[in-house]
Amino acid sequence: MTTTTSLSLPRLSILSESLSSSISSPKRRLVLVVPCAVLALCIHPTTSHNLLNRISWAFCVYLEAISVLPQLRVMQNTKIVEPFTAHYVFALGVASL
């Protein structure tokens, strides 16, 4: 959700159109989601919660970790990055660790 919101800002409309068309194909999304699901099935926390909850939580963490990639691509293409945007993307990356 945050990736979509960041890419829909008016000042990035030109970049978001070219970027969203290149990464929004269902095949490309499937290539990103399936490895996260497999990884969540294999590596999930050992807590007292239900197994489905633990796997779902791990899947969300792994998916959030790769959701930063489109934002990094936009930042790399623009070469001009606002400090707020850079701090936000950095915080997303650190939160995934």
Side-chain angles (χ1 to χ4, degrees):
M1 182 72 178
T2 58
T3 303
T4 306
T5 305
S6 298
L7 291 177
S8 65
L9 294 174
R11 60 196 153 107
L12 294 176
S13 62
I14 295 171
L15 289 173
S16 67
E17 289 172 8
S18 64
L19 183 67
S20 64
S21 65
S22 67
I23 65 169
S24 65
S25 68
K27 189 176 187 180
R28 175 100 23 135
R29 279 185 264 159
L30 198 60
V31 167
L32 296 175
V33 170
V34 170
C36 289
V38 170
L39 192 61
L41 285 171
C42 297
I43 304 171
H44 53 273
T46 305
T47 62
S48 61
H49 296 92
N50 186 0
L51 179 64
L52 182 62
N53 290 345
R54 292 182 290 178
I55 292 173
S56 298
W57 179 82
F59 174 72
C60 291
V61 169
Y62 298 141
L63 195 60
E64 185 179 5
I66 64 165
S67 70
V68 178
L69 296 177
Q71 294 173 348
L72 292 175
R73 174 70 88 169
V74 168
M75 289 170 57
Q76 186 179 29
N77 289 343
T78 59
K79 305 281 193 235
I80 300 171
V81 180
E82 295 179 15
F84 177 76
T85 305
H87 290 124
Y88 173 72
V89 172
F90 176 75
L92 280 177
V94 170
S96 299
L97 299 176

